C-alpha cells in the first residue's frame, strides 16, 4: 500500500533537504472503525451531520444524523470487520469479558477492554540497529513527494504531534454542546466553571 498522503508513482526528486534530526516517535493510535466514536460525539455536540459511511442507526441503516448512531461502521469494509473480530477474540474473549456477543445476544453494554503487549527490541537484535532501520524507513517515507493538495507526507502520530503543538499555543476549541455537558457535570460535582466557558 502507498504511504498516506504520498504521490504515486514515487518520483525520487526532492524539493526539500532531509531533516537534520530524527523524526518524532511513530505512534499508531487507531480503532478498526471507519471513524472514531469521538468524532460522532463531536458532530452531535456541534449540531452537524456526519458522512453516511460513519455509522448506522438501531435498524442497521446508514445515517447522517449523529444522534441516531447506534454503531460505527468498520474501516475498509469486510477487511476491517474481520480485523475487528480478531481483536475482539484476542482482547475481549481471551480476557474473559466479551463485548460483541454481549451486545448482540444479551443486549447489554459490557464496557471496554484493553490489552498491552510488550516486546523487547533487544530480543531481535541490537537496539541501535533497530533504531537506525526505523529511522531510515521513516526518512525514506518522509522524502517521498507529497500527493497533490498536501504539503507533506505524514507518519503515524505526526499529525497528532503537530496538532498538540498548535493547541498548546492557540487553545482547544470546544463545541457549544461539549461546553454545556462539561458545565453540567461541573455543577453536579461542585466545580466552578471558568469564565471562558460560560
Amino acid at each position: 500500500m502507498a504511504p498516506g498522503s504520498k504521490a504515486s508513482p514515487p518520483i525520487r526528486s526532492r524539493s526539500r533537504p532531509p531533516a537534520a534530526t530524527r523524526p518524532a516517535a511513530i505512534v499508531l493510535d487507531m480503532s478498526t472503525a471507519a471513524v472514531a466514536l469521538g468524532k460522532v460525539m463531536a458532530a452531535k455536540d456541534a449540531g452537524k451531520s456526519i458522512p453516511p459511511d460513519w455509522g448506522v442507526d438501531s435498524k442497521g441503516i446508514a445515517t447522517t444524523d449523529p444522534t441516531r448512531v447506534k454503531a460505527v461502521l468498520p474501516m475498509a469494509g469486510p477487511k476491517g470487520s474481520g480485523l475487528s473480530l480478531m481483536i475482539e477474540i484476542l482482547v475481549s474473549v481471551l480476557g474473559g469479558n466479551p463485548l460483541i456477543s454481549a451486545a448482540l445476544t444479551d443486549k447489554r453494554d459490557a464496557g471496554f477492554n484493553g490489552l498491552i503487549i510488550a516486546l523487547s527490541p533487544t530480543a531481535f537484535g541490537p537496539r541501535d540497529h533497530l533504531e537506525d532501520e526505523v529511522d531510515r524507513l521513516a526518512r525514506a517515507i518522509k522524502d517521498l513527494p507529497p500527493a497533490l493538495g498536501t504539503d507533506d507526507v505524514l507518519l503515524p502520530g505526526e499529525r497528532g504531534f503537530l496538532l498538540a503543538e498548535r493547541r498548546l499555543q492557540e487553545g482547544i476549541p470546544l463545541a457549544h454542546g461539549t461546553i454545556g455537558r462539561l458545565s453540567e457535570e461541573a455543577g453536579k460535582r461542585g466545580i466552578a466553571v471558568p469564565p471562558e466557558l460560560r
Side-chain angles (χ1 to χ4, degrees), residues 16-145:
R16 61 188 187 284
T21 58
R22 285 190 170 189
I26 299 176
V27 179
L28 179 61
D29 180 5
M30 56 164 277
S31 73
T32 53
V35 64
L37 183 60
K39 290 190 175 182
V40 177
M41 296 172 63
K44 178 180 177 181
D45 286 344
K48 297 181 178 179
S49 61
I50 60 173
D53 58 351
W54 278 17
V56 294
D57 61 18
S58 59
K59 297 181 179 179
I61 300 174
T63 179
T64 59
D65 183 352
T67 65
R68 297 177 59 190
V69 172
K70 295 300 180 182
V72 289
L73 291 170
M75 66 174 189
K79 292 181 179 180
S81 181
L83 179 59
S84 179
L85 182 61
M86 291 300 101
I87 292 175
E88 167 71 2
I89 294 173
L90 180 63
V91 179
S92 302
V93 177
L94 187 63
N97 184 40
L99 301 184
I100 296 177
S101 57
L104 295 178
T105 62
D106 301 337
K107 307 300 180 184
R108 65 182 177 87
D109 183 357
F112 295 92
N113 294 320
L115 173 68
I116 298 175
I117 300 176
L119 300 176
S120 174
T122 56
F124 300 88
R127 182 185 182 95
D128 289 344
H129 176 71
L130 173 65
E131 291 180 347
D132 289 342
E133 284 302 307
V134 171
D135 179 53
R136 186 161 73 101
L137 173 61
R139 289 183 185 281
I141 294 175
K142 292 291 293 180
D143 285 345
L144 291 170

Side-chain angles (χ1 to χ4, degrees), residues 167 171-175:
R167 294 290 186 248
I172 302 175
L174 295 175

Side-chain angles (χ1 to χ4, degrees), residues 1-7 10 140-142 144 147 153-155:
M1 294 185 294
S5 302
K6 182 198 80 65
I141 294 175
K142 292 291 293 180
L144 291 170
V153 178
L154 298 179
L155 296 169

